[in-house]
């Protein structure tokens, strides 16, 4: 791996930047690995990196059926924060947020991680009571949270409609200053490059089509490019979790649904904070390129179509314009969707499955980008040591049978209730 | 957007309907705990035809059984549930 630095950039300028090597190799799958990771999204690549880096497990392959980062990693709206309400989620996502801080340096790859602040708007006294309670619970465990008045919110985001007769009146907000956004593709590429440098085989265009399982133990996977043996196999396939698990004869507490996102034409900087509203559900941020990225509710039914319903576009646009009227002058450039792995309590599943040697990382719903570094570290710990890390332990697959669900929304066991 | 032909109201836009659960996820009260866990939490999550329970929530509020393709969204069947 040739390290990126100002000097290296200057030197490479002498030959028109042509001397850069490829960021990761394009290896043929070997006959056997200690660990095979299925799915080259951010979670799979991060897991491979920490297996090699932290645990010294270097015989690792990441098998990706298409190109890395082309799944939800490359489709999400990149919001990173740790201001959740359930203690187990607070620990998990703060562990991840701490890893984000300093990750660009560690990977020697610019993830464009921008701690621009993530703000929840409060639209009523009831909203503010809930936000205050959330803020208190966060500060009790050492996670930053600051309650804001209407005037403070208006100063932070001057384009917000804070007039008393606004469609969604703004009463105040709760901000996590350390929250923000990151460049999603760079996360996949940065982890792939760093993992490759440690000897991990990142193998693209290699689809897993089955498992080699005898006596309840996995011995490897079958792929579109032949059989690959493995002592341990880790799933990291997000919206395809159910389909890949079915190849091993498992049924999971996961349904595949769909979440859309939208992006506007690029404009000069107009919003430098992530704006969210848990009452309205629309969220807004502006990328460094100048595009406004918008999202809202998922489509609320099982689908692998990756094709969202147009009524959601109407709804999100209407909400966004009501909150920031200046957006009405912008044209939308693109809309797209990703297949989200909706779990039955809204929280992820990280850990062992009933099959020896087969592990699951999934059920991240529409919120797993922020968790990428933390999830990679915790899953690597489990794959390397055979035991769950304390932070990951509550997120076991058994929690559903045990009644120990982690239900942030308090909405009961339905994936569309998130 | 799907056009769902409610057997009571006729073809209506999908925004009037809500998805409830897959048909194999309907729990009866007399099953043993292991079966209950399986029914509540273990899904086939099929890619292709699926049997689902929906409701015409913002219409006649009836329950409906849909045979729906989860890739193309084609509706092979929409019938009243439970059957009369
Ligand atoms: C529109 C949208 C907006 C979102 N916004 C946010 C947000 O703002 N903040 C946030 O934290 N989260 C957000 N998320 C969620 C987040 O994107 C995901 O939780 C996270 O990126 C999942 O990463 P992953 O690595 O698990 O999955 P993916 O990136 O989807 O990777 C899974 C990979 O597995 C591969 N695969 C599947 N089947 C096979 C097979 N049989 N063999 C080999 N490979 C296979 C796929 O090709 C894919 O590349 C959003 C999601 C969507 C769809
Ligand atoms: Zn009807």
């Amino acid at each position: 791996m040739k390290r990126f630095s100002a000097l290296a950039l200057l030197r490479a300028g002498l030959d028109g930047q042509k001397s850069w090597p490829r960021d990761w190799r394009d290896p043929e799958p070997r006959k056997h690995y200690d660990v095979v990771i299925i799915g080259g999204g951010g979670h799979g690549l991060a897991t491979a990196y920490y297996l090699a880096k932290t645990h010294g497990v270097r015989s690792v392959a990441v098998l990706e059926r298409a190109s890395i980062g082309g799944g939800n990693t490359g489709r999400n709206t990149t919001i990173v924060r740790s201001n959740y309400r359930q203690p187990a989620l607070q620990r998990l996502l703060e562990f991840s947020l701490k890893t984000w801080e300093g990750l660009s340096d560690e990977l020697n790859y610019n993830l464009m991680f921008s701690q621009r602040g993530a703000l929840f708007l409060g639209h009523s006294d009831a909203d503010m009571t809930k936000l205050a309670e959330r803020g208190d619970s966060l500060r009790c465990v050492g996670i930053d949270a600051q309650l804001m008045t209407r005037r403070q919110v208006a100063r932070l985001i001057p384009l917000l409609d804070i007039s008393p007769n606004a469609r969604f009146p703004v009463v105040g907000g709760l901000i996590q200053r350390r929250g923000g956004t990151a460049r999603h593709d760079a996360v996949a590429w940065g982890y792939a490059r760093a993992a490759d440098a440690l000897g991990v085989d990142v193998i693209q265009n290699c689809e897993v089509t089955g498992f080699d399982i005898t006596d309840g133990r996995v011995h490897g996977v079958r792929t579109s490019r032949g059989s690959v043996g493995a002592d341990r196999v880790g799933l990291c396939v997000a919206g395809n979790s159910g389909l890949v698990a079915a190849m091993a004869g498992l049924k999971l507490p996961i349904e595949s649904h769909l979440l859309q996102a939208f992006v506007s034409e690029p404009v000069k900087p107009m919003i430098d904070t992530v704006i969210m509203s848990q009452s309205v559900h629309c969220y807004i941020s502006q990328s460094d390129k100048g595009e406004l990225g918008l999202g809202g509710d998922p489509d609320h039914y099982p689908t692998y179509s990756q094709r969202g319903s147009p009524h959601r576009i109407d709804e999100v646009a209407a909400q966004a314009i009501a909150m920031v009227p200046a957006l009405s002058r912008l044209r939308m450039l693109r809309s797209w969707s990703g297949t989200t792995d909706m779990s039955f309590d809204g929280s992820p599943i990280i850990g062992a499955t009933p099959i020896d040697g087969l592990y699951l990382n999934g059920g991240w719903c529409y919120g797993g980008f922020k968790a990428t570094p933390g999830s990679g570290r915790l899953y690597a710990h489990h794959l390397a040591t055979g035991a769950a890390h304390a932070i990951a332990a509550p997120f076991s697959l058994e929690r559903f049978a045990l009644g120990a669900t982690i239900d942030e929304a308090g909405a009961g066991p339905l994936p569309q209730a998130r | 957007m799907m056009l769902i032909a409610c057997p009571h109201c006729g073809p209506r836009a999908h925004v009037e309907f809500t998805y409830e659960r897959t048909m194999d996820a309907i729990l009866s009260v007399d099953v043993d705990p292991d079966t209950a866990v399986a029914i509540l939490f273990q899904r086939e999550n099929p890619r292709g035809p699926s049997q689902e329970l929906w409701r015409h929530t913002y219409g006649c509020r009836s329950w409906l059984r849909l045979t729906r393709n989860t890739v193309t969204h084609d509706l092979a069947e929409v019938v009243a549930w439970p059957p009369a």
Side-chain angles (χ1 to χ4, degrees):
Chain A
M1 180 174 98
K2 188 163 158 187
R3 283 186 68 80
F4 296 129
S5 69
L7 190 64
L9 196 65
L10 203 66
R11 259 202 219 113
L14 298 176
D15 75 346
Q17 307 289 346
K18 289 200 187 87
S19 60
W20 293 103
R22 51 182 308 155
D23 275 356
W24 53 87
R25 296 161 298 126
D26 182 22
E28 280 301 315
R30 296 208 303 259
K31 283 272 156 292
H32 186 273
Y33 293 91
D34 290 350
V35 180
V36 159
I37 304 289
I38 309 174
H43 287 240
L45 293 162
T47 305
Y49 168 73
Y50 293 111
L51 273 169
K53 173 83 198 294
T54 313
H55 302 281
V57 183
R58 304 251 169 149
S59 165
V60 178
V62 178
L63 308 182
E64 165 55 51
R65 67 170 176 184
S67 50
I68 59 167
N72 290 350
T73 298
R75 292 164 192 265
N76 76 90
T77 42
T78 79
I79 299 171
V80 175
R81 58 185 180 86
S82 66
N83 53 357
Y84 279 67
R85 188 65 191 81
Q86 291 292 317
L89 286 165
Q90 291 173 344
R91 280 193 293 274
L92 173 66
L93 294 159
E94 180 61 12
F95 178 75
S96 191
L97 182 53
K98 288 223 171 81
T99 313
W100 277 105
E101 295 169 335
L103 190 58
S104 287
D105 279 345
E106 176 176 347
L107 298 180
N108 180 234
Y109 207 90
N110 187 358
L111 306 178
M112 297 168 80
F113 179 51
S114 161
Q115 292 180 295
R116 59 186 61 190
L119 173 73
F120 285 124
L121 293 174
H123 301 289
S124 61
D125 284 351
D127 271 6
M128 291 311 295
T129 307
K130 264 168 53 189
L131 290 177
E133 192 218 10
R134 178 191 292 246
D136 286 349
S137 88
L138 288 162
R139 293 176 70 126
C140 284
V141 295
I143 299 176
D144 71 303
Q146 186 193 333
L147 208 58
M148 295 178 93
T149 63
R150 177 162 157 273
R151 286 205 21 213
Q152 287 171 317
V153 170
R155 214 173 309 133
L156 186 70
I157 308 163
L159 291 172
L160 208 61
D161 185 356
I162 58 146
S163 60
N165 48 5
R167 174 73 182 80
F168 304 111
V170 174
V171 182
L174 181 77
I175 192 166
Q176 179 171 35
R177 301 259 178 208
R178 290 161 59 240
T181 57
R183 167 93 199 272
H184 47 15
D185 297 324
V187 175
W189 299 336
Y191 272 123
R193 173 169 169 270
D196 176 273
L198 295 171
V200 170
D201 282 357
V202 177
I203 302 170
Q204 305 186 79
N205 300 310
C206 182
E207 177 167 3
V208 170
T209 55
F211 290 93
D212 180 6
I213 295 170
T214 43
D215 301 329
R217 176 163 190 95
V218 70
H219 301 286
V221 295
R222 270 168 268 140
T223 82
S224 53
R225 291 165 68 174
S227 290
V228 179
D231 299 336
R232 287 181 181 158
V233 177
L235 261 65
C236 262
V237 293
N240 287 290
S241 295
L243 301 177
V244 178
M247 297 173 194
L250 298 175
K251 286 188 188 177
L252 302 178
I254 291 177
E255 277 180 10
S256 293
H257 289 212
L258 162 165
L259 182 69
Q260 308 192 49
F262 319 94
V263 80
S264 77
E265 59 188 322
V267 289
K268 293 240 166 91
M270 59 185 281
I271 294 173
D272 63 0
T273 309
V274 178
I275 308 174
M276 296 169 291
S277 162
Q278 295 220 313
S279 300
V280 182
H281 293 187
C282 168
Y283 50 92
I284 309 171
S285 69
Q286 186 170 20
S287 75
D288 292 337
K289 244 194 310 185
E291 302 161 328
L292 274 298
L294 306 180
D297 270 326
D299 276 22
H300 292 314
Y301 59 90
T303 174
Y304 289 90
S305 66
Q306 295 198 102
R307 205 177 57 227
S309 214
H311 74 270
R312 190 66 76 216
I313 308 182
D314 274 2
E315 181 186 273
V316 172
Q319 292 181 351
I321 292 167
M323 294 200 289
V324 182
L327 294 176
S328 69
R329 310 300 293 270
L330 289 184
R331 277 167 297 202
M332 281 294 146
L333 275 194
R334 296 188 300 282
S335 78
W336 65 90
S337 66
T339 308
T340 47
D341 36 337
M342 303 301 293
S343 70
F344 278 57
D345 59 359
S347 293
I349 302 162
I350 314 169
T353 71
I355 293 169
D356 275 348
L358 185 64
Y359 297 82
L360 171 68
N361 181 325
W364 288 97
C365 302
Y366 41 75
F369 178 70
K370 62 179 73 65
T372 306
S375 156
R377 284 175 70 184
L378 298 169
Y379 198 36
H381 177 98
H382 205 147
L383 283 162
T385 66
H389 188 287
I391 294 175
F395 298 94
S396 71
L397 183 57
E398 297 97 76
R399 74 173 183 270
F400 297 94
L402 297 173
T405 54
I406 302 166
D407 190 343
E408 178 84 353
L414 288 175
Q416 71 272 31
R418 305 298 135 206
Chain B
M1 177 139 46
M2 291 178 278
L3 187 66
I4 302 178
C6 173
H8 312 291
C9 313
R12 298 294 185 96
H14 122 223
V15 289
E16 292 186 9
F17 299 81
T18 44
Y19 163 74
E20 169 69 17
R21 59 183 71 207
T22 50
M23 292 305 294
D24 58 2
I26 298 172
L27 188 65
S28 65
V29 287
D30 49 4
V31 296
D32 62 275
D34 287 347
T35 314
V37 167
I39 289 174
L40 278 174
F41 296 117
Q42 292 173 11
R43 288 296 183 278
E44 242 154 63
N45 201 8
R47 186 186 163 92
S50 182
Q51 297 273 327
E52 297 169 343
L53 183 66
W54 285 61
R55 191 173 202 184
H56 194 184
T57 313
Y58 306 105
C60 66
R61 301 189 60 78
S62 304
W63 294 105
L64 307 170
R65 179 168 60 78
L66 270 60
T67 308
R68 196 179 64 90
N69 188 301
T70 59
V71 183
T72 62
H73 298 174
D74 281 342
L75 291 162
E77 196 179 33
V78 182
V79 293
W81 187 89

